[in-house]
Amino acid sequence: CPNESKWTEWFDRDNQEGTGDHETIRSLNNQYHGRLCTNPTSLDVRLLNGSNYHVGGNVLILSPSIGFKCINKYQSDGICKDYQVRFCC
């Protein structure tokens, strides 16, 4: 995140039950109205326990304009870990 920008707080709206863990901008804005920026330039993802997302070993979809998705059916063991996300604004 560049010096003139700042990170939002960490968000964890969803868990891995159902189809997976989805922390998208649309769903986060619905739940945390006004606490996200409109055009994030980057995102940061970590496991709920604070570990780097690479440790989770899941296949992830990451995009500053969409957010984060981990879809259970794309995982070798059939389930995502629980993640949280923050955005650079």
Side-chain angles (χ1 to χ4, degrees):
C1 200
N3 291 339
E4 64 275 0
S5 301
K6 65 178 184 170
W7 289 105
T8 64
E9 63 192 280
W10 288 99
F11 297 101
D12 177 36
R13 182 201 62 79
D14 197 13
N15 59 37
Q16 67 274 35
E17 297 172 358
T19 61
D21 191 6
H22 306 270
E23 308 294 347
T24 63
I25 290 180
R26 178 181 291 173
S27 62
L28 290 167
N29 270 328
N30 288 339
Q31 185 165 345
Y32 301 102
H33 185 71
R35 292 165 60 183
L36 279 82
C37 50
T38 55
N39 293 309
T41 58
S42 185
L43 78 157
D44 191 10
V45 177
R46 68 182 183 189
L47 290 164
L48 197 56
N49 69 9
S51 298
N52 186 294
Y53 73 89
H54 295 289
V55 175
N58 291 140
V59 175
L60 308 175
I61 300 167
L62 307 168
S63 168
S65 62
I66 295 170
F68 161 83
K69 292 182 181 183
C70 181
I71 301 170
N72 286 336
K73 69 180 182 179
Y74 298 142
Q75 310 313 315
S76 60
D77 63 357
I79 191 155
C80 296
K81 305 290 189 286
D82 197 4
Y83 295 89
Q84 54 186 279
V85 64
R86 68 180 179 168
F87 297 90
C88 180
C89 299

